Amino acid sequence: VSADREVTRIVRSWLEKGVTALPDRVLDNVLDQVPATRQRRPWWPAWRLPYMSMQIRIALAAAALVVVAGGAYIFSGRNASQVGGPSPSPSAFPGPTPIDTATWVRITSLPFGISSEIPPDWHDTYRPAVSVAHSPIPWIYGGGAPETSGSDEFGDLYGAQRFSVASQPIPSGVDQATWFATNFGGQILGSCGPLGMSDFTPTTLAGLPAFERDALDVHGCGYAFVVAFDGGRAYELSYHPAWLFGDRGLLAAWLSTVRLTPDNAVDPAPTDTPGGH
Amino acid sequence: MDTNLVVRSQHGDEEAFASLAVAIGGRLHAVAHRILRDIELAEDATQQALLTIWRDLPQLRDPARFDAWSYRLLVRACYAEGRRTRVWVPNLRLLPVDEPAGAEGLSAVVDRDQLERGFRRLSIEHRAVVVLHHYADLPLEEVAEILGVPIGTVRSRLFHAMRGLRAALEADARSPLREVAQ
């Protein structure tokens, strides 16, 4: 314990040394850009609730309950009307509305070896990948990194809907279950996990066996994942709508355009650190 | 932090934001430099964070939480800068030496270069926890909030980071360093 305290003291002392002032030119750069940088206004009211009497609060709460209950009734009625309707789709992401992808644009996502088509007015580099992790360390959602730093994202003009793609090589000897445990067994976005392989349902992607997790309706998650393995790589594609439920038709249409080309993937060079391999 | 400056900046007051940037710039830069261990990357991260703060300030609901919020944006900028370099952090595990070194041995052989190397071996995520807790003096609960991860994850990262730094210090005392790549 005393050694730990000593290490803490040494580290704290070491951290104290170093720069503490921001150079003026950096500050000048920032302030020069401020007039041209438009502030993002929230779509929700930024104000706080003013003081309200208990009677008003109760009345507002009751009104909110009525609205929520009404919405739930309408939604459940819509679901009930679908019972016995369309035959089951081979995908767990059936599209309620067929979407024509004829005008979509094909893009190739390097270094992941994935190509897919997106609507023509979407951003193909909405948020490009800035890191690719070596397996078997946790990948896109691991390590508390920004959730999409390890994937390429494509999104609509408003960022209201996004597709995300990534892949990584799987070391020899690592089976699919182990890979799932490594990448989904811990804390992942929101309330989306942890997940095991059994939480995914079988499907197909680009003609290959794949696994899907439809959490679009899961409160606190709202995403859908598809995982496939090809050419010694693990692929993950996900759909991130900004609102609960999303558009499964859009997701299904996108997945139908996906092609996996593991031979084209470009992985970062292995570490050449002494002792590494 | 002067909440009035924050509120005025939220409403687009550029002069107020200039004062705010002057007030927080040094603090953010110091944290960024300690996380990234590179002066140019730290400047870029700080600049990006300040611009993001300006851009997203209207979305901050509670001006009293400005400090934690600004740290969150800074750490995100550090993550981005750290990864933009495409310098892959070796995934090293430092094995404990056969016999633990005593406190006296540690303090006698402190080598800043060795500590620097040990710190650079940590992932940016681990460094952020160490810096926010041991340099910015933030409690672990607040670090968890800033990083957007459970407090258990913060404790785990801190534990592993400090163990790695201790191993680096101990290895310094018992050359040669034993490193094993995972």
Side-chain angles (χ1 to χ4, degrees), chain B residues 66-127:
Chain B
F66 174 79
D67 283 345
W69 180 76
S70 62
Y71 274 134
R72 169 177 283 214
L73 297 184
L74 177 76
V75 170
R76 285 182 182 173
C78 288
Y79 286 164
E81 285 300 323
R83 293 190 169 98
R84 192 165 292 134
T85 61
R86 298 263 177 191
V87 175
W88 306 106
V89 178
N91 189 17
L92 294 179
R93 181 163 49 96
L94 290 168
L95 291 181
V97 291
D98 295 331
E99 298 173 10
E104 187 179 1
L106 279 179
S107 59
V109 292
V110 172
D111 183 331
R112 285 185 58 186
D113 289 342
Q114 195 69 14
L115 195 51
E116 181 81 34
R117 278 196 291 272
F119 195 77
R120 284 175 183 269
R121 285 190 198 104
L122 302 177
S123 70
I124 301 278
E125 291 82 6
H126 286 77
R127 295 186 208 174

Side-chain angles (χ1 to χ4, degrees), chain A residues 143-165:
Chain A
E147 63 271 21
T148 55
S149 63
S151 61
D152 274 344
E153 285 201 351
F154 323 116
D156 65 12
L157 293 176
Y158 311 103
Q161 299 194 88
R162 292 175 284 123
F163 297 142
S164 174
V165 300

Side-chain angles (χ1 to χ4, degrees), chain B residues 1 5-6 10 21 23 31 37 40 56 66 68 71-72 78 84 104 116 119 126 132 142 150 152 154 173 179 182:
Chain B
M1 180 47 53
L5 280 182
V6 176
Q10 280 187 305
V31 169
R37 313 306 301 173
E40 289 184 4
D56 291 348
F66 174 79
Y71 274 134
R72 169 177 283 214
C78 288
R84 192 165 292 134
E104 187 179 1
E116 181 81 34
F119 195 77
H126 286 77
L132 290 174
E142 192 159 349
V154 169
E179 292 177 343
Q182 285 185 326

Side-chain angles (χ1 to χ4, degrees), chain A residues 33-41, chain B residues 51 54-56 58:
Chain A
Q33 293 182 57
V34 160
T37 306
R38 201 171 168 186
Q39 287 189 308
R40 285 181 179 169
R41 300 287 158 189
Chain B
L51 280 171
W54 161 256
R55 189 191 63 192
D56 291 348

Side-chain angles (χ1 to χ4, degrees), chain A residues 107-116 124-125 127-132 149-154 165-167 233 235 259 261-268, chain B residues 86:
Chain A
I107 52 174
T108 300
S109 182
L110 292 174
F112 300 120
I114 301 173
S115 75
S116 64
D124 59 353
T125 53
R127 194 182 293 172
V130 292
S131 74
V132 181
S149 63
S151 61
D152 274 344
E153 285 201 351
F154 323 116
V165 300
S167 73
R233 304 184 68 80
Y235 290 86
R259 295 176 194 161
T261 52
D263 291 342
N264 293 341
V266 180
D267 292 308
Chain B
R86 298 263 177 191

Side-chain angles (χ1 to χ4, degrees), chain A residues 178-220:
Chain A
T178 304
W179 187 89
F180 268 94
T182 303
N183 287 282
F184 293 102
Q187 176 77 20
I188 58 177
L189 290 175
S191 303
C192 299
L195 301 172
M197 200 169 173
S198 60
D199 293 311
F200 289 75
T201 55
T203 184
T204 58
L205 180 74
L208 296 168
F211 305 86
E212 63 191 12
R213 167 75 177 170
D214 182 346
L216 290 173
D217 297 350
V218 176
H219 182 69

